[in-house]
Amino acid sequence: MKELNERHLDPAIALAALDEAAPREPHRQFALKHEDCFVVADGHGDINGKGDGLFRNDTRVLSSFRLFVGGRRPSLLGASLSQDNIMFTANLTNLQLTMADGRQTPQGVVHIERTRFLWQDRMFERIAFSNYSGHDILIPLRLDFGADFRDMFEVRGTARSRRGRSHEAEVDAHSVSFCYDGLDDVSRQSVISFSRPADLIEPDHAEFLFEVARRGHETLFVEVGAEFAPPDRDRFRAAAARARFAMRSKRRHGATVHSSGRVFNDWLIRARADIALLTTELRTGPYPYAGIPWFSTAFGRDGVISALQMLWLTPGLARGVLAFLAEHQSTETSPFSDSEPGKIMHETRKGEMAVLRELPFGRYYGGVDTTPLYIYLASSYADRTGDMDFVDQMWPSLCAAAKWMEEAGARNGDDFVTYKRAAETGLSNQGWKDSADAIFHANGRIPAGPIALVEVQGYVFAAYKGLASLAERRGEDKRAEHWQAMAEKIRVAVESRFWMEEQGYYALAIDGEGAQCAVRTSNAGHLLYVGLPSPERAERVATQLLAASLNTGWGIRTLADDEMPFNPMSYHNGSIWPHDTAICAAGLSRYEERASVVKLMSGMFEAAVQFQMRLPELFCGFTRAPGEAPVAYPVACLPQAWSAGSAFMLMQACLGIRIDGWTGEICVERPQLPIGIDNLSIRHIGVGDAKVDIIFERLGDRVVCYLDHRHEGLAPLIVRS
């Protein structure tokens, strides 16, 4: 089988396949999601059969859905998502129509509004016509549709040697039913239902003729689900109300941020709504799915980082992530799934190809950083909440994860946690930069494994430190001493083996032969995030992260622009990932580079404005120029959980805020406000049993903060200037 790359196929193949396998201009696509169902369509509301579609459990159950009026595609007036991400609306108007009696209806007199949402694995749509002409008109509507039942990985471009059986569509006046019997012995159905009988209906299209009086209105309701249901106005309204109520409930969890900047608030509201949209309520609690369309599932690394970004505001998200990952922790060794006892899951999938083990991603463990990040999240959650009862429940899982880290480090004799895929079907690179060309030597040569990534050793350092602190609180002094010693051992080893004195920077990785991958990347910023470097070295790293070779003005590049493989249009070798910039910013803040953090947040906010208030998974790493917008990456996910969460990690880094769950204190150190923001409030932030409002205000060249008098319970506020 051809080598797969989970985040992205080979770059040349992926870009060449855009027309066939992926939506073009993803920042102009519109996505809706509910639980394990999502839809991606263009501004018209059309599904064109490329990388778009209606997906349910990693299978595309609607591959085509296009609207025509008078045999022509209407003119697009505008398209938008509601602020809560529930409703998509496309506003369209007619091109010139010729009636049966020869009369001409001019362009732009019929308003067509498509309103769509998802609820409980069903797509609901209302198509409303309003006649603004001076006479009654007949409006011929045609809907083209199809269901190919392709697995998500097929949609992304993976070829299969054989597929299951697709049945002939079943047609009646009100519906068309599609059915596919998979090779996994699962029968999948998709039924398109209409609120009125079609004037003509075929397996691939339906035609309706609407007589609309002058200044009159007509409406067609459509539903797409696994079974037939008679669409009508009442069903549409009732389902919409339930969807909106459920989203409101999600968005009420945790604290909210509000500022004096109207446009800045729009960004924060959209980012929070995107986190809520991607968060799925699993049996173990809330879990932020990674992103739409390619990664609308539970990823270990993405879930942990998203939870870390939101931890100061919404610690319940971290608890849900930890509970899910603990339940799916590996207990066996399997080269196919890259699993070993104690290892934390990288990804899970529900599609036909995963079930048949054509791919290893049904439950896949090929992520070298997920296990230490999991431990770090657990200790960070405990520090944020003081929730030792949950830590006690998690303790066997955390100890198993720590055992895997120690055993993985002992294999090479240097305690570095390395990766080398166990089977050819797995990922060749297993850090967050997991494309096949993302790890290399300074001359561009791909290194031999096993590979030790610099940021992974930082996560391991933080995991051991966190475990030592928790063990001490549990009275397990020997374990605490052991893990503290392991953390120090890793710190010394990283400083010794990864540091490049001439460059004043940390190497990207150490290969299987012990040689440095001596290139300057954003990965070193993750070391700052966990506090591993000495202050002197951190200052040198910070200087380079903020220099023009890495800092574009929009954000931090993944690779310095003077390194050999640099390409601002690549996936990992010169692009900008918002979550990566946010982690680097949090690291800079830790080493008191607060003013630089403010500038990075400003760049990210201004990029978000250009992307209609949504930061994509990544965008191209071109240097910012006056009057020019950031350049979109052609197959980026949008929305993406850790891109949305980056707004709040950047905010925390600016404000210098930390909540101590053990003492019940709010600690604020040298706070800064984003550029252009004069006051900002954090409302209903939980501190133990208390809920408080914190106000930040700019007074001259200083930022002051205080507790609002309206709060529930008491929480001390400690401010250091």
Side-chain angles (χ1 to χ4, degrees):
M1 177 183 286
K2 182 185 180 298
E3 176 189 324
L4 288 169
N5 187 293
E6 174 54 4
R7 280 290 179 191
H8 126 304
L9 302 173
D10 179 85
I13 295 173
L15 291 174
L18 279 178
D19 283 334
E20 299 178 5
R24 298 179 70 86
E25 300 183 295
H27 55 295
R28 299 181 187 274
Q29 301 282 318
F30 293 85
L32 299 170
K33 174 186 172 295
H34 184 250
E35 305 301 343
D36 287 306
C37 181
F38 70 89
V39 61
V40 178
D42 65 16
H44 284 75
D46 287 344
I47 294 169
N48 297 297
K50 296 181 181 179
D52 50 1
L54 174 65
F55 294 80
R56 187 170 63 239
N57 292 326
D58 287 326
T59 300
R60 185 162 65 179
V61 296
L62 190 66
S63 52
S64 177
F65 193 60
R66 304 183 69 197
L67 181 150
F68 300 90
V69 174
R72 304 166 74 183
R73 199 179 193 202
S75 178
L76 177 63
L77 300 174
S80 63
L81 290 171
S82 59
Q83 194 176 67
D84 61 5
N85 278 332
I86 291 298
M87 291 281 184
F88 163 77
T89 302
N91 287 285
L92 314 165
T93 190
N94 68 296
L95 300 177
Q96 183 173 289
L97 298 173
T98 301
M99 300 294 99
D101 60 4
R103 285 187 302 160
Q104 298 291 319
T105 297
Q107 178 177 341
V109 298
V110 178
H111 176 229
I112 307 154
E113 184 183 66
R114 298 180 75 175
T115 306
R116 173 183 298 162
F117 66 92
L118 299 181
W119 178 247
Q120 294 183 337
D121 290 342
R122 296 186 73 80
M123 185 176 87
F124 292 78
E125 181 156 334
R126 179 182 63 205
I127 304 171
F129 298 93
S130 299
N131 176 11
Y132 292 101
S133 73
H135 54 82
D136 299 351
I137 57 175
L138 291 174
I139 300 176
L141 169 69
R142 173 175 167 140
L143 291 170
D144 287 4
F145 40 72
D148 61 6
F149 295 101
R150 292 194 176 274
D151 187 279
M152 171 59 75
F153 287 92
E154 289 184 275
V155 177
R156 291 174 58 188
T158 302
R160 298 182 70 186
S161 58
R162 63 193 187 105
R163 300 187 78 248
R165 178 190 172 200
S166 292
H167 296 267
E168 290 187 7
E170 296 181 2
V171 176
D172 63 35
H174 282 89
S175 67
V176 177
S177 301
F178 301 93
C179 184
Y180 169 77
D181 294 332
L183 298 175
D184 56 354
D185 296 324
V186 174
S187 180
R188 297 169 172 87
Q189 288 188 305
S190 189
V191 182
I192 306 173
S193 311
F194 308 104
S195 60
R196 59 175 281 177
D199 294 285
L200 174 67
I201 191 162
E202 298 288 346
D204 62 352
H205 72 275
E207 297 180 12
F208 303 84
L209 190 61
F210 289 89
E211 185 173 356
V212 186
R214 180 173 63 90
R215 300 291 175 173
H217 310 276
E218 291 291 337
T219 304
L220 176 70
F221 292 92
V222 184
E223 292 186 25
V224 184
E227 65 282 323
F228 173 79
D232 59 31
R233 188 181 307 275
D234 291 340
R235 281 179 56 83
F236 184 91
R237 287 179 172 176
R242 289 193 291 269
R244 285 214 143 111
F245 179 80
M247 181 58 79
R248 279 198 301 271
S249 297
K250 281 186 184 181
R251 295 177 69 185
R252 284 180 183 143
H253 293 306
T256 59
V257 181
H258 185 81
S259 80
S260 59
R262 182 181 59 80
V263 179
F264 191 78
N265 286 339
D266 289 343
W267 178 39
L268 298 180
I269 290 168
R270 174 62 71 189
R272 193 59 180 268
D274 283 350
I275 292 288
L277 175 74
L278 291 165
T279 298
T280 301
E281 291 294 332
L282 304 176
R283 185 178 55 78
T284 47
Y287 200 102
Y289 282 8
I292 298 173
W294 310 127
F295 310 119
S296 187
T297 188
F299 274 78
R301 176 193 305 121
D302 297 62
V304 168
I305 290 177
S306 298
L308 284 167
Q309 292 170 330
M310 302 301 295
L311 182 59
W312 66 294
L313 295 170
T314 314
L317 192 63
R319 183 178 175 125
V321 168
L322 290 165
F324 177 85
L325 294 178
E327 186 172 276
H328 293 84
Q329 188 171 26
S330 177
T331 58
E332 62 180 12
T333 298
S334 168
F336 181 71
S337 61
D338 254 318
S339 64
E340 294 172 321
K343 206 172 180 184
I344 297 300
M345 186 194 74
H346 170 66
E347 168 188 6
T348 182
R349 294 283 185 174
K350 300 178 180 178
E352 180 183 5
M353 294 176 72
V355 171
L356 293 170
R357 293 173 68 83
E358 295 177 32
L359 305 165
F361 304 120
R363 192 177 293 177
Y364 183 59
Y365 293 84
V368 70
D369 50 0
T370 309
T371 305
L373 279 170
Y374 165 77
I375 297 172
Y376 179 58
L377 176 62
S379 65
S380 299
Y381 169 82
D383 289 341
R384 167 64 178 84
T385 63
D387 186 359
M388 277 305 292
D389 288 343
F390 185 66
V391 170
D392 291 342
Q393 294 174 33
M394 294 279 296
W395 196 242
S397 171
L398 294 172
C399 291
K403 183 180 179 183
W404 176 83
M405 280 199 316
E406 290 199 48
E407 291 176 350
R411 289 171 196 160
N412 302 305
D414 54 13
D415 295 310
F416 289 152
V417 173
T418 63
Y419 69 87
K420 185 176 183 180
R421 65 180 175 185
E424 289 299 308
T425 51
L427 302 181
S428 56
N429 283 320
Q430 298 188 358
W432 85 261
K433 295 178 179 177
D434 57 6
S435 51
D437 62 346
I439 310 301
F440 46 83
H441 286 287
N443 61 4
R445 179 173 60 88
I446 301 298
I451 293 170
L453 294 171
V454 65
E455 79 277 13
V456 172
Q457 313 322 311
Y459 303 154
V460 171
F461 162 78
Y464 282 134
K465 282 195 68 176
L467 282 168
S469 175
L470 292 177
E472 186 176 3
R473 290 185 182 278
R474 286 173 52 86
E476 299 184 26
D477 294 340
K478 286 187 177 179
R479 274 182 163 170
E481 291 172 7
H482 171 69
W483 283 327
Q484 186 61 46
M486 289 297 297
E488 179 60 16
K489 192 174 181 182
I490 288 290
R491 189 194 66 78
V492 170
V494 169
E495 294 282 47
S496 170
R497 299 280 303 282
F498 282 86
W499 182 249
M500 304 181 293
E501 180 58 33
E502 185 175 342
Q503 293 95 324
Y505 210 75
Y506 292 94
L508 166 63
I510 292 175
D511 72 6
E513 298 170 348
Q516 289 181 341
C517 294
V519 291
R520 292 163 16 257
T521 65
S522 62
N523 301 54
H526 295 222
L527 286 187
L528 304 187
Y529 173 62
V530 297
L532 184 147
S534 67
E536 296 75 21
R537 287 184 175 178
E539 183 177 359
R540 296 177 72 182
V541 170
T543 298
Q544 296 206 49
L545 282 173
L546 296 167
S549 59
L550 279 163
N551 184 10
T552 68
W554 296 116
I556 293 175
R557 294 186 179 102
T558 50
L559 175 67
D561 65 2
D562 52 358
E563 299 287 356
M564 177 180 284
F566 171 75
N567 177 357
M569 300 172 290
S570 69
Y571 197 58
H572 285 130
N573 295 336
S575 54
I576 299 165
W577 289 64
H579 89 279
D580 183 40
T581 293
I583 290 174
C584 291
L588 292 167
S589 179
R590 183 168 191 149
Y591 287 89
E592 299 188 355
E593 287 279 351
R594 204 61 50 77
S596 301
V597 172
V598 171
K599 292 178 183 178
L600 287 173
M601 182 162 200
S602 178
M604 276 285 124
F605 164 58
E606 289 158 4
V609 171
Q610 298 290 337
F611 287 118
Q612 291 79 50
M613 297 302 171
R614 256 188 176 163
L615 287 171
E617 175 189 18
L618 73 155
F619 53 98
C620 294
F622 293 104
T623 299
R624 184 173 182 174
E628 294 186 5
V631 178
Y633 185 80
V635 289
C637 285
L638 188 70
Q640 184 89 353
W642 64 13
S643 292
S646 65
F648 302 102
M649 181 173 264
L650 286 162
M651 178 66 73
Q652 183 181 20
C654 282
L655 299 178
I657 186 171
R658 178 178 60 84
I659 293 100
D660 189 331
W662 306 114
T663 63
E665 296 174 338
I666 302 168
C667 304
V668 177
E669 187 168 354
R670 298 177 61 237
Q672 297 287 321
L673 283 170
I675 294 171
I677 302 301
D678 292 324
N679 61 73
L680 180 144
S681 62
I682 305 168
R683 298 171 178 169
H684 304 295
I685 191 164
V687 188
D689 294 330
K691 287 190 182 296
V692 302
D693 294 351
I694 310 173
I695 311 299
F696 293 81
E697 287 189 358
R698 193 185 304 278
L699 295 179
D701 59 355
R702 294 189 308 122
V703 174
V704 299
C705 71
Y706 54 90
L707 293 179
D708 196 334
H709 67 279
R710 297 168 299 174
H711 57 265
E712 303 168 22
L714 297 175
L717 176 64
I718 300 171
V719 183
R720 299 184 181 92
S721 300

